[in-house]
Amino acid sequence: MAEISQTAPWREMGLKDSEYELIKERLGREPNYTELGMFAVLWSEHCAYKHSKPLLKTLPTKGPAVLVGPGENAGVVDIGDNLACAFKIESHNHPSAVEPYQGAATGIGGIVRDILAMGARPVLLLDSLRFGPPEDPKTKFLFGGVVSGIAGYGNCLGIPTVGGEVFFAKPYAGNPLVNVLCGGIMKHEDLHKGGAYGVGNVVMVVGHSTGRDGIHGCTFASDVLDDDSESKRINVQVGDPFMEKLLIEACLEMMACGAVVGIQDMGAAGLTSSCAETAARAGTGLVIDIGKVPMREEGMNAYEVMLSESQERMLLIVSADKVDEVKRIGAKWGLHAAEIGRVTDSGNLEVLHNGVLEASIPVSLLAMGAPEYTPEAREPEYLRKTREFSGESVRAPEFSEMKGILLKLLASPNIASKEPVFRQYDYMVRTDTVEGPGRGAAVLRIKGTKKGLVFTTDCNGRLVYLNPKAGAAWAVTEAALNVAVTGAKPLAITNCLNFGSPENPEVYWQLKEAVQGMAEACKALETPVTGGNVSLYNESDGEAIYPTPIVGMLGLCEDIEKRITPGFKNAGDLVAVLGKVWGDARSLSGSEYLEVAHGMVAGDPREPALDLARGIIEVLTECAREGVLSSAQDLSEGGLLVALAESCIHGEEGARGCAMSPKALGCGGREDIRADAMLFGETNTAVVVSFAASNEEQVAHICRQNNVPFAVIGRVQESALAVDTCGGLRVLEVPTDEIAHAYSHGLEDSLRG
Amino acid sequence: MKFKGTVTVWLKEGIFDPQGAAVKGSLEAMGFKEVEKVRIGKNIVISLDAENALEAKDLLEQMARKLLANPVTEAYRVHVEEEKAGAER
Amino acid sequence: MKFKGTVTVWLKEGIFDPQGAAVKGSLEAMGFKEVEKVRIGKNIVISLDAENALEAKDLLEQMARKLLANPVTEAYRVHVEEEKAGAER
Amino acid sequence: MKFGVVVFPGSNCDSDAYHVIKDVIGVDCEYVWHETRDLSDFQALVLPGGFSYGDYLRCGALARFSPVMDSVYRFVDEGKLVIGICNGFQILLEAGLLPGAMLSNNVLEFRCQWVNLRVENTKTPFTCLYEPGEVIRVPIAHHEGNYYAEPEVLEELERTGRVVLRYVDASGNPTAEANPNGAAHNIAGIINEKGNVFGLMPHPERCSESILGSRDGRRVFLSMIKSLETGALLS
Ligand SMILES: Nc1ncnc2c1ncn2[C@@H]1O[C@H](COP(=O)(O)OP(=O)(O)O)[C@@H](O)[C@H]1O
Ligand SMILES: [Mg+2]
């Protein structure tokens, strides 16, 4: 035992000296090597949220529809008809940086098991991805691997990948982001939780055998990527989607027969975390014998078995009289279902190896004893410069340049169609996908009801970089408007906070501000946070990524037949803006236009007007109920003109164009107005809608009632997008075919380039 | 001179091979009880021009390292022979 | 006795191998101009128990014929050797 | 009349086929576990899409050795109807119930998209409710749908009208651009000599309700029901 303190192995395992001292003190003795390993993984940032917990506590988590909030494997929200939706987002950034295919694939595997652990059938996936510049050869390698990994795993499971995001920017070059969201549906009575209740109940491992793969994966995830990461590659876990598919079916069957008291997936830190967390939630203890764990390699010791991150495994707490039933179902699906221990009242996790005690640790210390840190926060130096941006910083383009700029924006990989990505995903399996990827938020019907589930993921890291508080709030409002333009009501969010090292005061400041912005927006929009994930240490070569707090939002569509879609429907319909288009220089802050046309990342994005966002959501849901809108599309990257272009591209035959003038938005007489900002400036408190002229009065009335500015800016026409100045001068006219061409080839062209 | 190189790529020992495991299961179910382990790898046959066998081998090593094998998960072996005219593959 | 069998499976001559063609394209783009043709096949390594090499080979032939290769599109070759204790693969 | 939907380990379109037959069309339908050997209750079987046995080794290769397949051969001999969709088609090929084999898509990617299909033969129990030459819109979702058969086999399939569905453009022409995966002769679906085994890569069960964007696939199932009811087209 003495040698432990001499060789200090905890440092290599990622524990600080002070943490080791704390363990020793709380344990009242020196931990042995296996115990130390167990502490190291559970006290890693990935599992213990050491640097983020105090911040996360400030997020709103309660609401009338929330059935299960943060703390369980996934949040659960009531969606009526005795149904509930479990959903959560999770990151797999570090594994994907090293081995993109397997990293992304096992990311899907992990999040699906989280949803399964709540008792829900997983029914949808979204993927939110960030890469370096598309022309960078490393990006091509990472992009190709990640997308095919998601396809390879998700398609095999038969869970449709119905939406997501892809965003390219330099700060992600060495450290891509791979965040995946899974949603599942269940009846209220099928809700399960991850607690090891009932002394005497049986602990079982179901699914794959255990090998040496992925040992210390979560300490790796809490580390900065460097050249040494290459040597950590042997940590890579290989996904087996076929096994996961069987595991889903088997676990659902096991839960349905009433055998399962508690269930938890074995993700990061494998057996250690699943045992410690289930026991901690229930206030019990566990005794397990790892000699009974099905293994795929010989001679594995306690340390290896407890830390293995072999995929496709679940931990089940089974009532003692139902063990045989669980074994029978396991055998039916060709899975291991092994009895490895029992629930005790000791409060300890006791690990035996063929009867010999190898570890004994209080579960509360393991699962909840990690220290919390409140690091120093300092406003980043770079903000002084980026905030200097003003109207004088960029030349206003001539009218004659507008067409070129529009086409360039549409072809920019951040705006262009992501079809080269999502055509590799089976987004139709299960026959519920009513609006699939490529047209805004995904809409899925719920068979047997009139309802629809709506999902989106959103975050523009560039905006968060320039103003973390505003950018994070913006991610929430953008997601909410994405949901609302379908006519659905935003219900709740899950989030994944992707940041650099919290030990860097500037990064910690970003994190703190972003969480505040997210909290404020969620409170204002009444979309509580039901769960999520924190991924820190996203850096390479000393440079942090853009701070990227990704928001995954769930909305509910009361009547799916009344949903609204983004494409124009009828020539002659009026086109209007609901909300606020600023049209001033500040609205160019962090815009795609500023980067694409001027090569600048600068400015200070406005904090979203949350009251206005709320009003717009009200207006859209009411309009959907009344059936008065033909189309709706929110403004995001690329601003007003790109939003209109997208409504043209998705338009019905004969209604694929629009003629507009910003006159009604109040350009006359305002000094601060600029044409480029009017057309390409970004705001997230505005949407463009179209409707039959006969509905104008009703739409206007609904807007007035909700204090939402309403301005008719043009009409739907057959096949071209045209813009007139306030003075009536036609400054732009582009055939929609040309627009559609730029939009649909942009991504492939830039990856080829 | 023409050479035929074969780069054999397989999953490193210790990395689980789900394909191999599934095939083993099926072979057993078909009655081949003698099977103890199945691992599935790739066999990449490359016809190429080179001055001599040494150069050919060197080129193939480079291709394997840079593209054909994923160093994270895979190991490889290179084999070169002179191309027999009219050989079957 | 323990044997290590290797079943190599490849697409029949005359059937276009898109994966091979793509790899050839990538190799060329990387500067390997010497490459004339690339074909990608499978390498299935099976550890098995048998009385002797002949029996092992016979079993492997059966597995290949029944399962490992699709006779419409694929050809195969079987190779057997005695398993060396502690061999790397 | 009762349909069976076979569930192999890894099937994932089983519930989609079941939903269309049972809930949308309203015909009796049951899942058939892959270890079942008695199929005497059923008049028609669906081998659904998915990734049976993970599609490891080759798509459909391992499923072919599932216990149920012995009974499927007998079922086919008895002249009952079998439709294999996507992975089900691949299984039928591996099992030798249909000729040919599948190669990887020539785009080397999984492809999920809508395609246009021309119905080439309407004198089959699976297509009797379509118009000859009718162009329908149906989704595909596969990685290995590049149909291959030796030239003599292709020639015979063509000559005997056993190419039932072909990938075409919107105006009905079987162009190379309209071929999503490189399939020989733009073949999307074929039938056996006897006319009771049909395999197709596209997913008719995904386009049998208007809320999903097209109802063009529904008549595949309705055709089967009609021919079972009338006995027409069944040898
Ligand atoms: N990685 C992806 N996977 C699946 N769908 C994606 C992906 N990236 C983008 N999409 C889809 O493409 C459409 C446009 O994406 P995005 O530009 O982020 O939309 P929005 O501006 O509405 O947030 C959306 O429907 C989205 O779901
Ligand atoms: Mg977006």
Side-chain angles (χ1 to χ4, degrees), chain B residues 7-81:
Chain B
V7 181
T8 313
V9 179
W10 66 93
L11 275 178
K12 283 184 189 163
E13 207 54 46
I15 292 190
F16 181 65
D17 173 12
Q19 256 211 108
V23 170
K24 174 171 185 272
S26 284
L27 286 171
E28 278 168 358
M30 290 163 71
F32 294 105
K33 305 279 179 222
E34 312 80 0
V35 174
E36 278 185 0
K37 192 164 131 192
V38 179
R39 307 272 291 175
I40 301 189
K42 271 182 283 198
N43 196 55
I44 304 158
V45 180
I46 299 182
S47 311
L48 78 172
D49 243 331
E51 284 299 310
N52 51 45
L54 219 65
E55 195 200 72
K57 178 140 189 180
D58 184 54
L59 282 166
L60 289 161
E61 286 273 355
Q62 283 181 44
M63 296 177 202
R65 213 170 33 241
K66 289 193 188 156
L67 181 73
L68 305 176
N70 177 345
V72 183
T73 48
E74 295 172 326
Y76 65 86
R77 189 190 297 138
V78 171
H79 175 83
V80 185
E81 59 194 78

Side-chain angles (χ1 to χ4, degrees), chain A residues 369-704:
Chain A
E372 287 176 13
Y373 299 116
T374 309
E376 184 198 341
R378 183 171 7 98
E379 190 171 297
E381 202 56 37
Y382 69 81
L383 286 174
R384 279 225 314 264
K385 247 186 94 199
T386 54
R387 282 178 188 148
E388 273 168 14
F389 174 82
S390 75
E392 277 92 68
S393 312
V394 286
R395 176 183 71 86
E398 305 290 328
F399 286 139
S400 61
E401 295 171 72
M402 292 298 189
K403 175 178 169 182
I405 293 171
L406 172 63
L407 293 176
K408 205 167 161 188
L409 276 174
L410 287 167
S412 142
N414 290 341
I415 291 179
S417 168
K418 306 301 183 290
E419 192 179 344
V421 175
F422 61 70
R423 73 180 175 210
Q424 298 186 51
Y425 302 154
D426 187 349
Y427 54 85
M428 297 190 226
V429 63
R430 297 192 56 77
T431 61
D432 291 329
T433 312
V434 171
E435 300 295 334
R439 292 160 167 266
V443 181
L444 285 90
R445 69 165 164 182
I446 307 170
K447 287 190 185 104
T449 73
K450 286 167 71 181
K451 288 179 179 161
L453 286 179
V454 180
F455 269 99
T456 180
T457 63
D458 286 287
C459 178
N460 181 333
R462 192 168 49 206
L463 298 173
V464 187
Y465 171 76
L466 294 171
N467 183 336
K469 184 154 171 269
W474 192 299
V476 177
T477 51
E478 180 178 351
L481 289 186
N482 261 330
V483 166
V485 288
T486 68
K489 183 175 155 38
L491 282 190
I493 76 158
T494 177
N495 72 95
C496 188
L497 302 172
N498 303 272
F499 286 76
S501 164
E503 292 160 56
N504 172 344
E506 297 195 342
V507 170
Y508 190 71
W509 185 86
Q510 292 173 333
L511 179 62
K512 208 170 134 197
E513 291 283 304
V515 169
Q516 199 188 336
M518 182 177 286
E520 284 175 13
C522 286
K523 274 181 202 136
L525 303 186
E526 293 175 48
T527 51
V529 180
T530 63
N533 179 232
V534 179
S535 172
L536 303 179
Y537 302 95
N538 290 288
E539 304 193 346
S540 59
D541 303 328
E543 292 287 328
I545 55 162
Y546 279 154
T548 314
I550 289 170
V551 171
M553 188 172 283
L554 158 67
L556 188 66
C557 186
E558 285 295 336
D559 183 348
I560 199 157
E561 297 289 351
K562 291 191 168 173
R563 72 189 180 279
I564 312 170
T565 54
F568 291 135
K569 301 292 176 307
N570 312 295
D573 274 358
L574 297 177
V575 176
V577 169
L578 314 185
K580 179 91 183 134
V581 174
W582 302 94
D584 62 356
R586 190 172 179 192
S587 71
L588 295 177
S589 300
S591 65
E592 189 72 18
Y593 161 76
L594 203 56
E595 179 150 17
V596 166
H598 300 281
M600 279 176 89
V601 175
D604 183 15
R606 284 190 171 85
E607 288 190 25
L610 297 170
D611 281 346
L612 178 54
R614 244 186 105 126
I616 297 173
I617 294 165
E618 285 297 324
V619 168
L620 288 166
T621 37
E622 191 166 342
C623 285
R625 220 177 299 129
E626 300 292 323
V628 288
L629 294 183
S630 308
S631 74
Q633 162 86 17
D634 66 310
L635 267 60
S636 61
E637 288 87 11
L640 177 61
L641 202 54
V642 165
L644 289 170
E646 288 179 347
S647 288
C648 293
I649 292 167
H650 299 310
E652 302 279 320
E653 208 43 55
R656 297 182 73 232
C658 158
M660 72 81 101
S661 159
K663 192 168 178 181
L665 296 171
C667 41
R670 268 175 63 194
E671 294 257 305
D672 57 345
I673 219 93
R674 347 182 349 153
D676 55 352
M678 193 53 114
L679 296 179
F680 305 120
E682 293 178 17
T683 158
N684 60 350
T685 38
V687 299
V688 282
V689 298
S690 70
F691 44 83
S694 56
N695 290 334
E696 177 176 358
E697 195 31 55
Q698 202 180 347
V699 178
H701 177 71
I702 295 173
C703 286
R704 268 195 307 277

Side-chain angles (χ1 to χ4, degrees), chain C residues 56-67:
Chain C
K57 180 140 190 181
D58 183 55
L59 282 166
L60 289 161
E61 286 276 356
Q62 284 182 43
M63 295 177 203
R65 211 171 38 244
K66 289 197 189 155
L67 177 69

